Amino acid sequence: MVPILGRTTYAKGHLDKTVVNNYVNLLANDRDNTGFVKKIGDASGGQYVIDWYTTLRRLATSLIQSVIRERFGGESVRIFNVLASKGFLEQSEVERFCLLAGKDVKQQLYTMLGDGFLSLAEIPRVGSDYAPSRTSYFFSADVHRVANVVSSSCVQTLRNLMQRRNHEVDRQQNLLDRNDRLQNLKDSMRAQGSTEEEIEEVAESWMGVNDREQINQFGFRLYTLDMAEVTVDHTFFILTLFIKAHQKRPLFT
């Protein structure tokens, strides 16, 4: 809980009660309805609480949307958002809400269903008769369940990235060893007072243009793998926080 304070230190100056009140009210009454900050009661100006569960859910949803967009396309994101907000819908209802053609919707629905991003409930219209002609099929999207699916995929992706890095290092190990010895030789020559021209001349005789190009390409590939690992690790971290918050939801709401 964050109560309204009379004064608070901010940077090199101070914010009085009115300014603080304006800021927290702006957060609590955000037009985008982010739910990050909520106001509880009106006694003594009210108290404000950071809703961690809602915040983590929105972050997780945004990451899931990015994964869906990259894997299935923008139309699939629209379908996922509709199902996540409205609950169980038949294919015809999804078509109506998303303003998409039936053929495209059907393909996207079953593709995402096969990859675990959607769920399907089969409801018989009469008794327990599950014949296709007498059964209704309802699609749904559970953010928490999909977060588990994507986090599991993140673990596999991180494993693949680490294996790829090890493969790249093993493949270039001889060249890397030569480059390390060259760097040591350069340091030794500098310590002995050699000029940069002399050092460069020795370096060119030690490693040719093709070898240097291979070293540069190796460095770029390693950088690309590192950036991909950072991105996946960030996604996994946020989703893990959300999954744990969901398990303890009564403590966050």
Side-chain angles (χ1 to χ4, degrees):
M1 298 297 234
V2 184
I4 296 295
L5 302 178
R7 295 185 68 82
T8 184
T9 303
Y10 180 78
K12 295 181 179 180
H14 297 278
L15 296 177
D16 61 20
K17 180 177 179 179
T18 301
V19 175
V20 173
N21 192 55
N22 288 338
Y23 275 125
V24 292
N25 276 324
L26 182 63
L27 290 172
N29 299 311
D30 186 1
R31 291 183 179 179
D32 293 331
N33 194 27
T34 59
F36 178 67
V37 175
K38 292 182 177 179
K39 184 177 182 180
I40 300 177
D42 294 315
S44 301
Q47 290 184 316
Y48 294 82
V49 59
I50 297 176
D51 189 339
W52 288 111
Y53 177 78
T54 299
T55 302
L56 290 172
R57 180 183 173 86
R58 289 183 178 277
L59 288 172
T61 301
S62 178
L63 291 172
I64 290 170
Q65 290 169 343
S66 297
V67 172
I68 292 175
R69 180 177 292 104
E70 181 178 348
R71 188 177 299 186
F72 308 113
E75 292 182 351
S76 294
V77 176
R78 194 189 312 176
I79 292 172
F80 178 84
N81 290 341
V82 167
L83 290 172
S85 62
K86 295 187 177 297
F88 292 88
L89 296 176
E90 291 186 285
Q91 179 183 324
S92 59
E93 295 176 303
V94 175
E95 295 170 11
R96 187 170 70 254
F97 284 120
C98 295
L99 302 177
L100 296 172
K103 181 180 179 181
D104 295 335
V105 169
K106 182 177 182 179
Q107 180 181 353
Q108 297 287 354
L109 285 173
Y110 283 96
T111 300
M112 287 194 287
L113 177 66
D115 284 2
F117 286 83
L118 300 180
S119 298
L120 180 64
E122 301 179 8
I123 310 297
R125 298 191 187 97
V126 180
S128 57
D129 185 358
Y130 283 88
S133 61
R134 291 184 290 275
T135 302
S136 296
Y137 298 91
F138 293 90
F139 293 89
S140 64
D142 185 322
V143 174
H144 174 252
R145 193 184 67 80
V146 177
N148 279 282
V149 172
V150 176
S151 65
S152 297
S153 177
C154 287
V155 173
Q156 182 62 42
T157 301
L158 288 171
R159 179 173 177 272
N160 292 341
L161 288 170
M162 288 186 284
Q163 289 180 336
R164 181 64 185 181
R165 182 191 293 106
N166 292 337
H167 170 73
E168 290 289 343
V169 172
D170 291 341
R171 192 161 65 101
Q172 301 290 346
Q173 191 60 59
N174 291 334
L175 189 60
L176 293 174
D177 290 341
R178 288 174 56 197
N179 187 63
D180 288 340
R181 291 195 294 270
L182 175 59
Q183 296 305 319
N184 291 334
L185 177 60
K186 286 182 175 181
D187 293 339
S188 177
M189 292 180 67
R190 288 192 181 95
Q192 295 174 6
S194 299
T195 64
E196 288 300 321
E197 289 78 7
E198 293 173 332
I199 295 174
E200 186 60 28
E201 183 178 351
V202 172
E204 289 178 356
S205 64
W206 190 286
M207 296 185 68
V209 175
N210 290 337
D211 291 336
R212 295 185 182 187
E213 181 63 25
Q214 287 186 46
I215 287 292
N216 291 335
Q217 291 177 359
F218 168 78
F220 177 76
R221 290 195 298 270
L222 219 59
Y223 172 80
T224 302
L225 290 171
D226 287 342
M227 292 299 98
E229 186 173 337
V230 168
T231 300
V232 176
D233 192 50
H234 170 263
T235 299
F236 178 72
F237 175 70
I238 296 297
L239 294 178
T240 300
L241 287 179
F242 168 65
I243 291 169
K244 291 183 177 181
H246 186 85
Q247 294 170 348
K248 302 177 180 179
R249 186 172 179 178
L251 300 179
F252 288 81
T253 56

